[in-house]
Amino acid sequence: MKAFRVFYSTAGRSTRAIVLSESDSTLEKSLSLKDPDYRVGDSYSRITNKRELPLSSVPVKELSVGELFKLLGKEY
C-alpha cells in the first residue's frame, strides 16, 4: 500500500487529496473511489500532480473509512 498526495481537476473544480493505492497504475481508480466527481477516462477529470508520501506521515483524518480499513487489513 502506498500513499499519494494528489492534485487533480474535475469538471468545475481543482482540489487535492491524500489517496491510498496499491501502486501508481491504480491511482486513478483509487481516486475515483474516494471522490465520486472524479471519473476515470473523463476528459475533465485528470491528475495534475502527484507525490508519494510515507504512510507514517499520513494523518488519519485524511483517509476515508474504506482506506482506513484497507490499511488495517480489514474488510469493508
Side-chain angles (χ1 to χ4, degrees):
M1 185 68 56
K2 296 181 179 183
F4 295 90
R5 181 178 310 275
V6 179
F7 293 87
Y8 63 99
S9 300
T10 60
R13 71 181 172 112
S14 294
T15 190
R16 68 174 178 85
I18 293 178
V19 180
L20 295 184
S21 182
E22 291 297 326
S23 68
D24 211 16
S25 62
T26 59
L27 185 57
E28 280 193 301
K29 183 175 187 255
S30 298
L31 180 57
S32 69
L33 294 173
K34 188 163 189 167
D35 184 350
D37 291 335
Y38 188 88
R39 295 183 179 95
V40 178
D42 186 1
S43 61
Y44 294 108
S45 296
R46 65 178 189 220
I47 294 174
T48 55
N49 194 354
K50 64 185 172 197
R51 190 178 85 201
E52 189 173 347
L53 302 171
L55 281 173
S56 61
S57 70
V58 176
V60 173
K61 68 180 183 175
E62 296 283 335
L63 300 176
S64 67
V65 173
E67 288 174 321
L68 183 58
F69 273 93
K70 193 182 295 184
L71 187 61
L72 295 173
K74 307 286 183 185
E75 285 295 317
Y76 175 67

